[in-house]
Amino acid sequence: SFDKGEENVITVNLQPPTMLHPKLQEITSNITQVVQEEMVQLLSNKHTLEPHDVDVSVKINPQDITTASNNMNIRETTPQSSSFALKNITHFVAVYSCKGGVGKSTIAANLAYQLSAMGGRVGLLDLDVYGPSLPILVQPDDPTVRKSPPHVQEGMVEPILHKGVKLMSLGFVSPNSGVPGSGPNGGAVVLRGPIAGRVVSQLLKGTNWGELDVLVLDLPPGTGDVQLEVCQSLSLSGAVAVSTPSALAW
């Protein structure tokens, strides 16, 4: 007979590069099936077993992004690879629109939280520096932006963690920072090109994002200095265009 109990459960540790792998459930099921069949064959001389008699537990823990990259021999040089804050982020996804008021920021927030619910390590960056909306859409219990610990690179700040997603927005930054439009009551602001670019760079590269599978970027509507700064600083994995069924929305 084959005794079933905790001591008889076969545990398989699976370390995928990301929990967002599209066939993770299929891979887990296949591993379980293969282990059950191999155990039945291995013990066929001593026990009469069916595959369902073998308890298999597949535990999934994603690899560190650095380890995963080394294992896959990734040596690609990207614009973000030299940045301390961005080098451990696998994918950057921009959400944009040609005009405002079409629901772009709402979709960006929902996308980030859905990816997190699927098991991904996700960040959401509000890059609409002219009128931040993330503090309205997401209201963390503690919206304070704090300096990173001393062992982290100097001048960095920590993102706000809310329900599993790392957040950053100019609207969360202290109004005493000296940046126009910062703070929850900053409101809309006029930023000339070079200043807008510097603010975007600071939000991107001055935030200690850590290891992320995806950083969702909520861009301001239209095209301009913010979009140029993002395209020059990052290698985007994809973009989501948000529009309404109107000729003026394209």
Side-chain angles (χ1 to χ4, degrees):
S1 64
F2 186 77
D3 243 346
K4 283 205 260 185
E6 286 190 6
E7 69 275 10
N8 298 111
V9 176
I10 299 172
T11 301
V12 179
N13 292 308
L14 181 63
Q15 287 190 304
T18 172
M19 294 294 287
L20 296 176
H21 193 290
K23 295 190 176 181
L24 194 56
Q25 287 301 116
E26 182 181 337
I27 293 171
T28 302
S29 177
N30 288 343
I31 289 174
T32 301
Q33 181 180 344
V34 168
V35 172
Q36 288 175 329
E37 291 173 353
E38 289 294 326
M39 287 303 299
V40 168
Q41 185 174 353
L42 183 65
L43 300 175
S44 59
N45 294 331
K46 298 181 180 179
H47 304 280
T48 302
L49 293 173
E50 295 294 331
H52 64 262
D53 293 324
V54 181
D55 286 336
V56 179
S57 172
V58 180
K59 294 184 178 180
I60 305 174
N61 294 296
Q63 292 182 1
D64 292 340
I65 288 174
T66 303
T67 304
S69 298
N70 290 339
N71 288 345
M72 291 185 288
N73 294 319
I74 296 177
R75 294 293 184 270
E76 182 183 2
T77 300
T78 59
Q80 64 267 14
S81 59
S82 60
S83 168
F84 175 84
L86 306 178
K87 64 182 180 180
N88 290 323
I89 301 175
T90 305
H91 297 288
F92 297 86
V93 176
V95 181
Y96 74 99
S97 65
C98 291
K99 65 174 292 185
V102 296
K104 169 183 55 61
S105 296
T106 301
I107 288 177
N110 285 332
L111 175 62
Y113 277 95
Q114 181 60 39
L115 290 172
S116 176
M118 293 168 64
R121 296 165 288 191
V122 182
L124 173 59
L125 175 57
D126 179 5
L127 284 177
D128 192 347
V129 295
Y130 305 107
S133 58
L134 187 57
I136 298 174
L137 290 170
V138 182
Q139 299 177 350
D141 296 331
D142 183 4
T144 306
V145 175
R146 294 180 171 85
K147 291 183 178 180
S148 297
H151 66 272
V152 179
Q153 186 168 301
E154 186 179 354
M156 304 286 288
V157 297
E158 294 297 300
I160 297 167
L161 183 63
H162 181 66
K163 295 185 177 180
V165 176
K166 295 180 178 180
L167 310 172
M168 182 52 66
S169 169
L170 189 59
F172 291 134
V173 176
S174 169
N176 299 321
S177 65
V179 180
S182 60
N185 301 314
V189 66
V190 176
L191 292 176
R192 295 191 181 276
I195 298 177
R198 286 199 295 270
V199 173
V200 169
S201 180
Q202 184 62 32
L203 290 171
L204 266 173
K205 301 176 183 178
T207 303
N208 182 27
W209 294 107
E211 294 195 340
L212 294 178
D213 295 310
V214 181
L215 179 59
V216 178
L217 308 169
D218 180 14
L219 300 179
T223 56
D225 297 290
V226 173
Q227 289 82 352
L228 288 173
E229 179 66 30
V230 167
C231 290
Q232 290 172 356
S233 302
L234 305 173
S235 176
L236 295 176
S237 298
V240 178
V242 182
S243 183
T244 57
S246 165
L248 293 178
W250 288 95

